[in-house]
Amino acid sequence: MAATPSTNAGATEEMSPSAELMRLVNAYQVSQALHVAATLGVADLLVDGPRDVASLAETSGSHMPSLYRLMRALAAVGVFHEGTDRVFSLTPLGACLTGDAPGSRRNYARWIGTPGQWRSWGNLLHCIRTGESAAKFTCGVDAWTYRAQNPEERAIFDSAMTGNSRAEAEAVLAAFDFGRFGSVVDVGGGQGHLLRAILLAAPALRGVLFDQAQVVATAAPAFAADGLADRVEVVAGSFFDAVPAQRDAYVMKAILHDWDGREAIEILRTCRRAMAASATLIVIERVVGPPNEDAERKFSDLNMMVQYAALERTGPEFRDLLAQGGFALREIIPTRSPLSLVVAHPAAGA
Ligand SMILES: C[S@@+](CC[C@H](N)C(=O)[O-])C[C@H]1O[C@@H](n2cnc3c(N)ncnc32)[C@H](O)[C@@H]1O
């Protein structure tokens, strides 16, 4: 990616620590610009080839001179390419801002600028001072309740999670063969993208998609479209109450990082109650790395703090958490994405 310049850095100071710090301080401007471009869908308008800003403004319902300034700023950080006469085209980064790209981040970019998420990050200071969730402080209720009360934002959040799963599923499947199991439950599986990918990769496997009723309500047609209707069950419920029992494998992707210790242990214990001693638990999460590196996972950790007063965990933290939930950690398998598979079995006597 092209370097993100600070707004007022001159050529001579671009590499100075001061200019580099300014670039980091102003990173919020890039986030918001990407959010607006994703909301307007301008990258999708470039899929069939370059277009000038006048036609982009007309189709996206935008103020043309302002859209031009947005597009040229994003072109300066490598998201679009600006040619002559204010004509823009997609770069490899911009292609990922289209809705249909395999690694699409369009819905994630739409989500980060929704009022609940954007305003909550504005209260990060509250988290650091108190250890409480900024989302709860900002919205008055926890992030899950807020989204339940704001269906438009919830729909964007759900589609953002699906987009992330689309981008990550391939890496997960390259790292782990689910064909060794006869049945699998995706606990908190969202709209089912990862489960669909797992079932398509393992033709003898049967699956259960388990999530909250409002999330799984529209999941069945996508399984049917992939010819998976007779190999999948869609079950609504809460992982604090019960999950479908006696399957061979239980997958939880991006679930435990949403919850602090007490609730995460409760979720694990719910799974443990449903599982035979021979079953396998596959937790798919970021595993936080050593000091002075691994910014992606460490900022994701801050995001968990802002949203839920929760966290990304290190390997030893996973080992302890799993033990408290009734599991023994067997191995941590990295993938080529930021996610790892944390594989565990019911602990003897648990
Ligand atoms: C961060 S998303 C991850 C979704 C999916 N596993 C993925 O990776 O795309 C967390 C999921 O947990 C689900 N969830 C939250 N509370 C739940 C509950 N009490 N019972 C079941 N699912 C829940 C949400 O609906 C959401 O789909």
Side-chain angles (χ1 to χ4, degrees):
M1 177 176 170
T4 308
S6 67
T7 46
N8 56 3
T12 52
E13 63 169 347
E14 250 178 28
M15 298 303 290
S16 72
S18 169
E20 177 62 12
L21 184 66
M22 191 65 161
R23 185 183 74 83
L24 293 173
V25 168
N26 279 330
Y28 76 99
Q29 297 173 354
V30 181
S31 301
Q32 187 62 227
L34 286 167
H35 164 72
V36 171
T39 300
L40 293 172
V42 281
D44 293 281
L45 299 177
L46 297 172
V47 166
D48 293 331
R51 284 174 68 166
D52 67 37
V53 75
S55 92
L56 291 172
E58 192 182 334
T59 315
S60 65
S62 309
H63 178 243
M64 198 250 286
S66 301
L67 180 65
Y68 171 66
R69 290 158 67 186
L70 179 82
M71 297 295 291
R72 76 176 176 183
L74 287 172
V77 295
V79 176
F80 300 113
H81 174 76
E82 181 178 357
T84 51
D85 299 326
R86 301 188 170 194
V87 169
F88 289 90
S89 56
L90 287 179
T91 62
L93 286 187
C96 296
L97 206 58
T98 66
D100 289 335
S104 173
R105 303 296 184 177
R106 181 184 171 198
N107 287 324
Y108 192 82
R110 287 173 68 213
W111 173 63
I112 59 102
T114 52
Q117 177 68 356
W118 190 256
R119 287 170 47 230
S120 296
W121 262 90
N123 282 317
L124 175 63
L125 182 61
H126 176 79
C127 297
I128 306 302
R129 284 205 165 123
T130 64
E132 293 169 4
S133 149
K136 193 165 183 183
F137 177 71
T138 307
C139 306
V141 289
D142 70 75
W144 299 109
T145 307
Y146 174 80
R147 285 195 281 267
Q149 292 170 350
N150 293 273
E152 212 172 299
E153 287 188 42
R154 184 184 61 74
I156 297 174
F157 173 80
D158 289 343
S159 58
M161 295 305 106
T162 299
N164 287 352
S165 268
R166 283 171 63 185
E168 293 153 358
E170 203 186 314
V172 168
L173 292 173
F176 192 84
D177 174 20
F178 286 86
R180 71 188 77 178
F181 303 118
S183 57
V184 61
V185 189
D186 192 352
V187 178
Q191 296 172 325
H193 182 81
L194 177 65
L195 183 61
R196 284 205 301 286
I198 289 174
L199 294 178
L200 288 171
L205 184 61
R206 302 184 67 80
V208 183
L209 176 67
F210 179 84
D211 205 299
Q212 303 181 95
Q214 68 274 21
V215 178
V216 293
T218 54
F223 285 108
D226 283 335
L228 296 170
D230 58 346
R231 285 206 279 142
V232 75
E233 266 175 84
V234 177
V235 177
S238 171
F239 46 47
F240 291 110
D241 300 333
V243 300
Q246 300 298 320
R247 293 340 195 258
D248 298 340
Y250 287 73
V251 169
M252 279 201 285
K253 175 173 164 291
I255 300 299
L256 294 179
H257 75 165
D258 293 342
W259 303 95
D260 72 3
R262 187 177 55 78
E263 286 155 324
I265 291 165
E266 231 183 284
I267 295 167
L268 287 168
R269 288 188 178 156
T270 309
C271 291
R272 177 62 193 93
R273 282 196 299 277
M275 291 168 68
S278 59
T280 303
L281 176 72
I282 301 141
V283 170
I284 305 175
E285 292 282 4
R286 287 166 173 78
V287 178
V288 173
N292 305 311
E293 55 186 74
D294 207 15
E296 197 274 348
R297 295 182 183 92
K298 289 170 183 171
F299 277 88
S300 180
D301 175 60
L302 288 185
N303 194 31
M304 295 308 115
M305 181 197 288
V306 164
Q307 288 195 66
Y308 312 111
L311 69 162
E312 305 290 1
R313 296 176 170 91
T314 62
E317 284 169 342
F318 270 114
R319 183 181 296 280
D320 288 352
L321 182 75
L322 287 162
Q324 292 179 75
F327 292 91
L329 174 65
R330 194 180 68 191
E331 60 180 325
I332 297 179
I333 305 170
T335 74
R336 55 178 179 246
S337 80
L339 299 173
S340 294
L341 290 89
V342 180
V343 182
H345 287 298

